[in-house]
Amino acid sequence: MTSTVDLEIEGMTCSSCAARIEKKLNRMPGVEATVNYATEKAHVVLPVGTSVDDAIAVVQATGYAATLPAPSGGDDRVAMDDVAALRRRVLITAILSIPVVAMAMVPVLQFDYWQWVSLALATPVVTWGAYPFHRAAWVNARHGAATMDTLVSVGVTAAYAWSVYALVWGGAGVPDMRMPFTFLPHEDSSGPEIYLEVAAGVTVFILLGRYFEAKAKARSSDALRALAALGAKDASVLRDGVELRVPITDLRVGDLFVVRPGEQIATDGAVVEGASAVDASMVTGEPVPVEVTVEDAVVGATVNVSGRLVVQATRVGSDTQLARITALVEQAQSGKAPVQRLADRVASVFVPIVMVLAVLTLIGWILITGDVQMAFTAAVAVLIIACPCALGLATPTALLVGTGRGAQLGILIKGPQVLESTRLVDTIVLDKTGTITTGRMAMVDVVAAPGVDTRDLLRWVGSLEDASEHPIAVAVAAGAREIVGDLRPVESFQSSGGRGVQGVVDAVAVVAGRPEWLTSEWSLSAPVELVEARREQESHGRSVVMVAADGMIVGLVSVADAVKPTSAQAITELRGLGLRPVLLTGDHEAAARSVAAEVGIDDVIAGVLPEEKVATVERLQESGAIVAMVGDGVNDAAALAQADLGMAMGTGTDVAIEAADLTLVRGDLRSAVDGLRLSRRTLAIIKGNLFWAFAYNAAAIPLAMAGLLNPLVAGAAMAFSSVFVVSNSLRLRRFSSVTSTRAA
């Protein structure tokens, strides 16, 4: 027997921290653990005899904090407080650092005692501003590890310590001290240079990158919050014949509750009284309201469209379908392996090497020249030239420019962890309703019986349906109005519980509704031509409304979820990117095949429940496919989270949008093409930035060791590498949409 627990992990600053915690937990006998840096959670399977406290103790011994999850909402407030605190730290350090950098780089701004003013401004930046880096570096050092924090802390501390030495003991503290800015070493300087601008500038740049990362991580639980907010908050319960309004948490299995038109159904149950149409699109993603009557099952969080219902609760709390979807989203999110960042992987080797090289430089110069000051200058130059400012900017700058350009094109990229998947994706799974189709019903065909004028048919059925609020009726009335213009008033209108409607239009008794209702309830027979037409329409997955006038069936109209006009082009473009499209929908087979044929998709999986959508994505992944998923409904949320890359239509539900990695704001499937292209391009820029950042270090460190770079030049070179990284990232501003390219 085993037990499972999720722990909140505090103190992780990079993916190598997560890997170290995971390694320590998995060393415990019988324990299986996965640690997700993105969500800051550890999913731990504990054997009998091992307690949660034991696992927490191991995490704490590794140098981090672990706690059981707080009540809903608590973590969100803490995360936002952390982001706000980091934002204040960035602003304060930036305000203090700008004058320091300006005075060091622009000699005309240097006045008597300017260096002491720089020291006063830089000291709080290096101590308080860079404290998160120093603390993390100390924790890592205690456990024999090195990360980006180690590089930042060592670089900042070295630059600051040398500056203090130069000011206090090296002669740089005299009132008229001036520091020329040059890229070339100069041996005739009157005393040591100071490098406070390096210490302050590096701190601000890295803090800024951490701030943007923290903002993204603070939003990681938005999908779960959106799901939790989706359901009803209270219900009208019948107890002893009296209707009471109670919180949803007080509902029990077997309770009877009332649902009026326009209200959400409080929880999963079965109808015991009444008949209505239920809009289940927020849960199922399908556009056509479901007709329900006594003994039919209903799902919590769906909306009662028309009649009054009395429902008996069959599942409450964590057993409901909405709760299960929530759990699926959480499980899929926590199951994603954290993306290993190249900078952190290399830093674990890079930092010790730089430290060793700095020490060797110091010893070597002392042994060769006997000049301790020159030896120390060269050693500090090695440390500063290796300062990882460019490494820290490589990802955030490209991400900022890429996401900014994406926003202009209607594409929202959530974070750098999204980009790796876009390069590898080879299969794209597409939801039907709201993704390929509009998600709204529309009249698509009209068939009149022999001898009946089509305009008369549309005028009769359109006028009659215009008096109804049923979504299919609204679609029929709108379609008829487009063809025949103004509709006629209706007399003696009656609705029959979702089966159909009747009334008098222009002195003609008109009945419209389900074909079965007209044949069974009204004993009407349709001509052979209409029987064939009905069969043809239903084979394409369309809903058929049969129409009778003065006791004779005179025609039919069909409605369906209309395909977006750009969907076929989008499928062609996706194939051009090397992707295999798969249509995955909860709709029935005929409707799915019809839509797939219209847009050019060969692989169709229809009639699936939300749980089955997740299982389908998992099966594709197990077969070796790298899967992207595009959807817009609550029922797509778990599958979007499970997929290697989730893309949500911006016209869909908040739950789907928050669960996805990319959001396509315009609701145009062609944006998925742009999203993939932009993400791949952004990833390529990030990798290029990292390569050149490391290459710069590889080329500059030997020069520093040879004494050909003083620390000031090293600091300037470090700044130049940052400028290069930013300039390279700005190339993403020229990225153009495939849609605009085709138009041009």
Side-chain angles (χ1 to χ4, degrees):
M1 293 289 292
T2 60
S3 59
T4 302
V5 64
D6 290 322
L7 298 176
E8 304 280 356
I9 306 296
E10 296 179 11
M12 293 191 297
T13 58
C14 64
S15 54
S16 60
C17 297
R20 190 157 57 255
I21 298 171
E22 185 173 304
K23 183 178 180 181
K24 293 287 188 180
L25 286 172
N26 283 321
R27 284 181 177 175
M28 299 173 67
V31 171
E32 296 179 9
T34 57
V35 180
N36 192 321
Y37 169 61
T39 59
E40 297 184 331
K41 290 183 179 180
H43 183 73
V44 187
V45 179
L46 301 170
V48 175
T50 303
S51 67
V52 176
D53 291 337
D54 294 334
I56 291 176
V58 169
V59 175
Q60 291 174 340
T62 312
Y64 304 89
T67 58
L68 290 171
S72 178
D75 290 341
D76 303 333
R77 289 190 295 271
V78 171
M80 295 312 297
D81 289 343
D82 290 344
V83 171
L86 185 53
R87 180 174 181 270
R88 287 193 297 271
R89 192 180 295 267
V90 170
L91 289 175
I92 292 172
T93 54
I95 291 171
L96 294 173
S97 299
I98 288 173
V100 176
V101 175
M103 286 187 290
M105 296 299 181
V106 184
V108 73
L109 299 178
Q110 297 170 5
F111 49 88
D112 285 354
Y113 296 110
W114 71 272
Q115 67 273 40
W116 294 100
V117 174
S118 292
L119 179 66
L121 293 173
T123 297
V125 175
V126 171
T127 54
W128 174 78
Y131 171 74
F133 308 129
H134 301 320
R135 179 183 179 278
W138 171 246
V139 170
N140 292 327
R142 285 173 54 200
H143 295 87
T147 65
M148 282 280 290
D149 292 297
T150 308
L151 289 172
V152 175
S153 181
V154 170
V156 168
T157 303
Y160 181 79
W162 175 260
S163 300
V164 172
Y165 166 80
L167 287 170
V168 178
W169 295 286
V174 297
D176 59 348
M177 182 268 189
R178 299 294 184 268
M179 190 170 72
F181 179 69
T182 175
F183 286 101
L184 300 175
H186 49 97
E187 300 177 358
D188 58 343
S189 59
S190 58
E193 305 282 1
I194 62 173
Y195 315 110
L196 295 171
E197 77 284 359
V198 175
V202 168
T203 300
V204 173
F205 278 130
I206 306 302
L207 278 175
L208 188 62
R210 289 284 171 87
Y211 167 67
F212 289 117
E213 180 177 338
K215 281 187 66 177
K217 290 170 68 175
R219 294 195 298 266
S220 64
S221 61
D222 281 353
L224 299 180
R225 287 201 300 271
L227 280 172
L230 187 60
K233 301 300 181 289
D234 49 32
S236 297
V237 179
L238 290 175
R239 289 179 179 162
D240 299 326
V242 179
E243 192 173 319
L244 302 174
R245 201 75 182 175
V246 301
I248 193 69
T249 53
D250 290 346
L251 267 182
R252 298 292 180 265
V253 173
D255 280 348
L256 298 177
F257 59 93
V258 178
V259 189
R260 292 180 174 80
E263 291 183 341
Q264 281 187 308
I265 296 174
T267 191
D268 296 359
V271 177
V272 298
E273 180 183 325
S276 179
V278 173
D279 180 2
S281 59
M282 66 175 60
V283 173
T284 66
E286 302 309 321
V288 181
V290 179
E291 303 294 341
V292 297
T293 186
V294 175
E295 297 184 357
D296 286 341
V298 291
V299 177
T302 57
V303 177
N304 180 19
V305 175
S306 51
R308 176 182 181 272
L309 296 175
V310 178
V311 179
Q312 184 174 39
T314 56
R315 288 195 296 260
V316 297
S318 60
D319 293 332
T320 64
Q321 184 170 338
L322 179 62
R324 292 202 304 271
I325 293 175
T326 304
L328 284 169
V329 174
E330 187 170 28
Q331 180 181 351
Q333 285 184 336
S334 64
K336 281 187 174 179
V339 177
Q340 296 295 318
R341 296 189 180 182
L342 181 58
D344 288 315
R345 291 200 300 268
V346 176
S348 61
V349 178
F350 183 64
V351 175
I353 291 176
V354 170
M355 299 295 291
V356 170
L357 291 177
V359 172
L360 291 177
T361 301
L362 179 65
I363 296 173
W365 274 95
I366 292 176
L367 292 176
I368 295 172
T369 67
D371 188 338
V372 176
Q373 178 171 311
M374 186 61 190
F376 192 71
T377 300
V380 171
V382 172
L383 289 174
I384 293 178
I385 202 70
C387 196
C389 188
L391 295 181
L393 290 171
T395 295
T397 54
L399 187 64
L400 284 173
V401 179
T403 53
R405 180 56 181 152
Q408 293 177 328
L409 300 174
I411 305 159
L412 304 182
I413 305 172
K414 283 197 172 179
Q417 70 277 5
V418 173
L419 305 177
E420 185 68 29
S421 297
T422 63
R423 179 177 62 88
L424 304 172
V425 164
D426 54 27
T427 302
I428 185 163
V429 176
L430 304 161
D431 176 50
K432 179 179 74 69
T433 305
T435 301
I436 294 177
T437 65
T438 62
R440 296 185 300 274
M441 302 300 291
M443 189 176 71
V444 294
D445 205 354
V446 183
V447 181
V452 177
D453 184 83
T454 300
R455 294 182 64 84
D456 289 339
L457 171 63
L458 285 174
R459 189 174 294 106
W460 291 331
V461 68
S463 300
L464 182 62
E465 297 285 22
D466 196 38
S468 172
E469 296 179 355
H470 194 283
I472 290 181
V474 172
V476 171
R481 186 177 286 107
E482 289 181 2
I483 297 175
V484 302
D486 293 337
L487 301 176
R488 302 287 192 265
V490 180
E491 300 174 0
S492 304
F493 176 82
Q494 294 183 37
S495 177
S496 299
R499 293 172 294 175
V501 291
Q502 57 182 304
V504 178
V505 179
D506 289 342
V508 176
V510 182
V511 179
R514 296 173 177 269
E516 297 86 355
W517 185 56
L518 268 69
T519 56
S520 62
E521 192 78 13
W522 292 85
S523 301
L524 299 176
S525 297
V528 174
E529 293 84 354
L530 292 185
V531 172
E532 291 295 330
R534 173 194 171 187
R535 186 178 297 113
E536 173 68 17
Q537 297 293 333
E538 291 180 343
S539 70
H540 291 292
R542 299 168 181 172
S543 298
V544 173
V545 176
M546 198 73 79
V547 185
D550 287 339
M552 299 283 292
I553 293 182
V554 293
L556 62 81
V557 294
S558 63
V559 297
D561 187 8
V563 173
K564 294 179 181 178
T566 59
S567 292
Q569 179 190 349
I571 298 301
T572 301
E573 297 288 352
L574 289 170
R575 289 186 185 277
L577 292 178
L579 304 181
R580 174 173 69 101
V582 177
L583 180 61
L584 180 66
T585 178
D587 209 346
H588 53 82
E589 184 82 14
R593 291 286 178 187
S594 176
V595 170
E598 187 171 346
V599 298
I601 296 177
D602 300 323
D603 298 322
V604 177
I605 304 172
V608 294
L609 299 174
E611 296 89 343
E612 294 170 335
K613 286 193 173 186
V614 176
T616 300
V617 172
E618 289 176 338
R619 284 196 300 272
L620 289 169
Q621 290 170 328
E622 289 169 0
S623 69
I626 307 299
V627 180
M629 168 78 184
V630 186
D632 74 324
V634 172
N635 65 314
D636 301 318
L640 288 169
Q642 175 62 39
D644 298 286
L645 177 69
M647 293 186 282
M649 308 299 284
T651 51
T653 63
D654 291 341
V655 177
I657 291 170
E658 295 300 340
D661 301 310
L662 273 72
T663 300
L664 312 177
V665 176
R666 295 180 304 190
D668 186 338
L669 189 56
R670 291 177 299 179
S671 296
V673 181
D674 289 333
L676 289 168
R677 291 176 57 247
L678 177 60
S679 296
R680 291 176 178 180
R681 183 59 180 157
T682 304
L683 178 63
I685 291 291
I686 288 175
K687 289 188 173 183
N689 285 348
L690 291 172
F691 170 79
W692 286 111
F694 286 122
Y696 140 81
N697 279 317
I701 288 176
L703 295 177
M705 293 179 66
L708 299 177
L709 291 176
N710 64 36
L712 176 61
V713 176
M718 180 273 298
F720 175 77
S721 71
S722 302
V723 172
F724 174 82
V725 164
V726 173
S727 300
N728 191 42
S729 299
L730 289 174
R731 293 165 53 207
L732 287 167
R733 294 166 60 181
R734 298 195 295 269
F735 177 86
S736 60
S737 166
V738 67
T739 307
S740 60
T741 302
R742 293 291 185 271

